[in-house]
Amino acid sequence: MANQNPKRESLLFNIGFNLVAPILILRKGDDWFGPPIAEALKTTEDSALVGSIILVVAIAFPIIYGILDLRRRKRWNMISILGAVSALLTGGIGLIPGATASMFAVKEAALPAILAIATIVTLKTEKPLVKLFLYNPDFLNVSRIESALDLRNSREAFDLLLKRCTWYIAVSFILSAGLNYILARMIVVTEPYQDKKAFNEEVGAMMGWSFPVISIPCMIVTFFAFWQLMKGIKTHAGLELEEVLLAPEKKDA
């Protein structure tokens, strides 16, 4: 039980290292690293080799963070995995000969769509994704909730609630997939094989718009799911929010 509640991490640092840094490198990497890499390799700045190296640098951020986090907390970091996959797909499309802007739009919709499917499919497994997104021991005192559910013989009703919350989370991913596709088709209009720099600029602009257009609606759905979960914990486990929400971590004496 020593590792039941492993050391928690800074959410802002997590997002910054795994999502923001790769996006910045993919968008500005040609300007920042292109000339010295091209000079060192004796090639042109717009060569596929230079783009591949910049892509590797972008992917390295979430991969290194995820490995260190796995060693420290003995748990896979989902944001690191998403960051690496997203950077690989985003940067990779720009390097594929004959890649199109429409392919990028499909990629933007594919990742949240896959998460929606995975959220639903894992519902029948021992480790459903809803326990990562909502019912997470990093934020909630899960052991206390489980004990209270057993005492009140209400675990079955609570499991039904978790299933409903799973569908809410899946809906948020489906919403994200649709909005991602629409936004990408509206903003990313330059074909990467015609003007890679303009393509990267448009991708960066889309990422800037993605927060108000995509993230906020999805956050509203996710907050609604969390609110439903908190209501269910009070109803089925008889516990208030302050009794199950983990306080900021304190160092042991």
Side-chain angles (χ1 to χ4, degrees):
M1 292 192 179
N3 198 40
Q4 185 173 350
N5 287 309
K7 185 177 180 181
R8 284 177 283 156
E9 59 189 336
S10 167
L11 182 60
L12 289 177
F13 188 72
N14 192 347
I15 292 175
F17 212 88
N18 290 307
L19 299 178
V20 177
I23 289 173
L24 285 175
I25 292 172
L26 289 175
R27 183 182 179 186
K28 296 295 186 181
D30 288 331
D31 296 331
W32 294 344
F33 313 121
I37 293 175
E39 184 178 351
L41 298 176
K42 294 181 171 50
T43 186
T44 59
E45 294 179 25
D46 59 351
S47 71
L49 182 57
V50 173
S52 298
I53 292 174
I54 292 173
L55 175 59
V56 169
V57 172
I59 297 174
F61 276 80
I63 288 179
I64 292 172
Y65 188 100
I67 292 173
L68 293 176
D69 196 41
L70 178 63
R71 292 183 61 184
R72 181 172 62 99
R73 303 195 310 141
K74 311 301 181 187
R75 183 179 298 170
W76 290 103
N77 187 311
M78 182 58 68
I79 296 180
S80 293
I81 295 173
L82 292 178
V85 172
S86 179
L88 176 62
L89 293 176
T90 299
I93 285 177
L95 296 174
I96 297 175
T100 64
S102 60
M103 289 173 60
F104 174 79
V106 171
K107 168 263 164 184
E108 287 297 297
L111 193 57
I114 291 171
L115 283 173
I117 295 171
T119 300
I120 297 170
V121 169
T122 59
L123 190 59
K124 297 291 185 179
T125 68
E126 293 183 1
K127 294 184 178 181
L129 282 182
V130 69
K131 291 189 176 181
L132 174 68
F133 299 126
L134 290 180
Y135 195 51
N136 191 319
D138 282 345
F139 312 112
L140 299 174
N141 192 333
V142 172
S143 59
R144 183 174 186 179
I145 297 170
E146 300 282 322
S147 298
L149 290 171
D150 289 336
L151 286 173
R152 296 164 69 99
N153 293 318
S154 54
R155 183 179 290 273
E156 185 176 346
F158 185 75
D159 286 342
L160 289 175
L161 170 66
L162 276 180
K163 287 183 180 180
R164 282 205 309 274
C165 290
T166 297
W167 283 99
Y168 295 146
I169 294 298
V171 167
S172 75
F173 285 133
I174 293 170
L175 176 64
S176 175
L179 292 174
N180 264 300
Y181 182 81
I182 293 171
L183 195 64
R185 294 298 285 164
M186 290 176 61
I187 296 178
V188 184
V189 295
T190 300
E191 304 296 353
Y193 62 86
Q194 292 178 337
D195 190 338
K196 187 172 179 292
K197 186 172 183 179
F199 172 79
N200 288 339
E201 288 293 325
E202 290 169 358
V203 169
M206 179 200 158
M207 296 302 178
W209 278 102
S210 66
F211 181 76
V213 175
I214 298 170
S215 300
I216 291 178
C218 293
M219 285 171 61
I220 291 172
V221 177
T222 303
F223 178 79
F224 175 76
F226 186 75
W227 176 65
Q228 289 291 311
L229 178 63
M230 291 301 100
K231 282 180 59 181
I233 290 174
K234 181 177 181 180
T235 301
H236 302 302
L239 298 172
E240 299 289 343
L241 176 62
E242 57 269 18
E243 296 179 279
V244 299
L245 197 63
L246 291 178
E249 191 176 65
K250 297 178 181 178
K251 292 190 178 290
D252 296 330

